[in-house]
Amino acid sequence: MSFDLWVLLVERGWGFALFRGATVTLAVGLLGMLAGVIMAVPLALLRWRRLPIFSQAVDGYSILVRGVPGLLVIYLLFFGSIEWVQRLATAFGYQNSADSAYPFVIGVVAIAAISCAYSIEVLRGALDAVPVGLLEAAKSLALPTHVTFFRVTLPIALRLALGGLNNVWQMTIKDTSLVSVVGMQELMRSAAIAAGITRSPLLFYCAAAGMFFALTAISQTLFSHTERFFNRGFSRG
Amino acid sequence: MELDLVTYAVPFLLVGAKTTLLISVFGVALGLPFGIALAVIRTSKNRMVSRSADIYCAVFRGTPMLVQIFVIYYGLGQLSAIRSNPVIWWIVGDSLHAAILAVVLNTGAYTAEIFRTALLSLPRGLIEASQACGLSVWATFRHVKFPLAVRQALPAYSSEVAIIVKESSLASTITVLEITGHAKRLMSETFAIMDIFIITSAFYLMMNVVSLTSLKLIERKLSFAK
């Protein structure tokens, strides 16, 4: 049994394939999360300031994306864009590179769209939770609006948002597995290919589960350290 | 959006909605007691027992549900011991049953987390008082801890129910045709991607609204302040 394992994972190179899949998963997760948070910051600000029409639009987006399964969002983005992207790529003569890069790009866009919706809620909640007294103190010191925002509101809000953003990240890294259904070669897809060819699904899906678990566990540990760093000088609880 | 498309798509999605509802109802009906039991085990004094429940929750919360559903449906079928056991094979061998099992195991881990925090937040004094009154361990749980913990956990559990409805869409990856599975088929059949997406999301949002309002009603009914 252990001999079989060695042959499968090392000599036939499936272990390496899984590992490469895990790096793609991590890349898609990080890029998606980064893009999602960058998009979420201005949207959360619009929502927080309660700008008439924009605020409702942001709310609608966030309720829609958080209310439907991630799989459905991925189908929409993938099937909805494949036709004209292909037409565009053929017109400019990039057919081959478009075919290979396409699932990755759409994967990142889909993951970003989902993580953005959740990040908006986290950031908005954090902005709302900044104590009013602090803002009044800043006002009584006659600080200009942008100084108040960048030196008082934002540092406190980001500290408050940290825990929520960690939850969003944990969810995002797990959601990347969904992109495998449209053919992106990340961890889950590599495991499925290996399982299909070697006919040992139990081994490879469990290996994929193990790798996902390692990813979430490591990032959780890193997060705990970050949180301790940002919360220095504040009492716990 | 043409009316033809709506009248064509809605009957399929309604059939799918029945499957989604079936998976979700089983997910709540079996997952809630399972999660509460896990939470009780996790707060127990026996280190060995509580550790193993901790590990179970960490594993199911730390891996994507897609992996869990694949391990259960494709992975377990590989073992001849499971194939030869008629009861287990009845659960694992059928795609719908495997999907329900995956949802129950997954939501159990999250529910346990919700109820564990609720149980830990109970005031010590109340439990000491019930012990001083001579209540047995079971009576303390049944009449003191559980009623308080349920009220504490309900708001968080209602968002878990919404998550169950969404996670049931993963059943479509193992050939169960629920709402998302039908939506995918309709999208590749009619090419009206956006229209199908809008109709399908209306189904999901409706289900979310119904489940969230009914839980809100239960919450109000249970709350002490009328």
Side-chain angles (χ1 to χ4, degrees), chain A residues 160-175:
Chain A
L160 291 172
L162 214 56
L165 286 180
N166 176 51
N167 288 342
V168 177
W169 161 249
Q170 294 273 337
M171 196 201 65
T172 302
I173 193 86
K174 285 184 269 171
D175 273 351

Side-chain angles (χ1 to χ4, degrees), chain A:
Chain A
M1 180 62 202
S2 60
F3 174 73
D4 285 352
L5 253 174
W6 173 262
V7 170
L8 270 180
L9 289 180
V10 181
E11 285 179 22
R12 303 235 181 105
W14 289 117
F16 180 68
L18 282 189
F19 188 73
R20 207 173 47 186
T23 39
V24 176
T25 289
L26 194 60
V28 172
L30 282 175
L31 282 175
M33 182 73 191
L34 196 69
V37 171
I38 289 173
M39 286 195 299
V41 170
L43 293 177
L45 286 175
L46 286 178
R47 180 70 188 74
W48 175 58
R49 280 291 167 89
R50 301 206 171 77
L51 281 182
I53 297 162
F54 293 101
S55 171
Q56 277 84 11
V58 171
D59 243 10
Y61 166 74
S62 140
I63 287 172
L64 179 70
V65 174
R66 288 182 308 130
V68 303
L71 216 48
L72 203 61
V73 177
I74 289 168
Y75 286 147
L76 168 75
L77 290 173
F78 194 79
F79 295 140
S81 63
I82 195 159
E83 194 190 347
W84 58 264
V85 164
Q86 229 148 36
R87 208 178 294 159
L88 212 67
T90 319
F92 287 101
Y94 290 115
Q95 183 66 53
N96 288 330
S97 55
D99 277 351
S100 59
Y102 183 65
F104 185 81
V105 173
I106 286 297
V108 172
V109 170
I111 294 299
I114 297 169
S115 72
C116 175
Y118 285 89
S119 303
I120 289 173
E121 291 306 305
V122 169
L123 292 172
R124 188 183 62 88
L127 284 167
D128 279 337
V130 173
V132 186
L134 284 175
L135 299 178
E136 282 168 358
K139 202 178 257 176
S140 68
L141 289 172
L143 292 183
T145 321
H146 67 275
V147 175
T148 309
F149 180 72
F150 284 108
R151 304 307 287 267
V152 181
T153 313
L154 203 61
I156 291 179
L158 283 183
R159 195 180 67 84
L160 291 172
L162 214 56
L165 286 180
N166 176 51
N167 288 342
V168 177
W169 161 249
Q170 294 273 337
M171 196 201 65
T172 302
I173 193 86
K174 285 184 269 171
D175 273 351
T176 55
S177 67
L178 299 181
V179 188
S180 65
V181 296
V182 289
M184 190 178 72
Q185 290 235 14
E186 41 70 79
L187 180 48
M188 203 53 213
R189 186 90 192 130
S190 315
I193 292 169
I197 292 178
T198 63
R199 301 195 175 200
S200 40
L202 187 60
L203 170 69
F204 283 104
Y205 288 133
C206 283
M211 283 180 164
F212 267 113
F213 188 68
L215 281 177
T216 51
I218 291 168
S219 57
Q220 183 64 50
T221 322
L222 286 178
F223 166 75
S224 306
H225 284 291
T226 323
E227 193 179 39
R228 213 169 302 144
F229 175 76
F230 276 109
N231 281 346
R232 67 198 191 285
F234 284 90
S235 63
R236 286 183 64 84

Side-chain angles (χ1 to χ4, degrees), chain B residues 108-170:
Chain B
Y110 285 93
T111 309
E113 193 67 24
I114 294 168
F115 274 88
R116 191 184 71 106
T117 37
L119 284 171
L120 288 180
S121 74
L122 296 182
R124 284 244 9 103
L126 277 174
I127 294 153
E128 279 165 8
S130 60
Q131 278 164 350
C133 289
L135 291 185
S136 66
V137 177
W138 168 246
T140 308
F141 180 77
R142 166 78 182 74
H143 295 292
V144 181
K145 284 186 182 172
F146 182 70
L148 289 169
V150 157
R151 289 168 172 83
Q152 188 84 250
L154 216 52
Y157 187 71
S158 64
S159 54
E160 177 59 26
V161 172
I163 291 173
I164 292 176
V165 173
K166 282 199 296 173
E167 296 279 77
S168 71
S169 69
L170 293 179

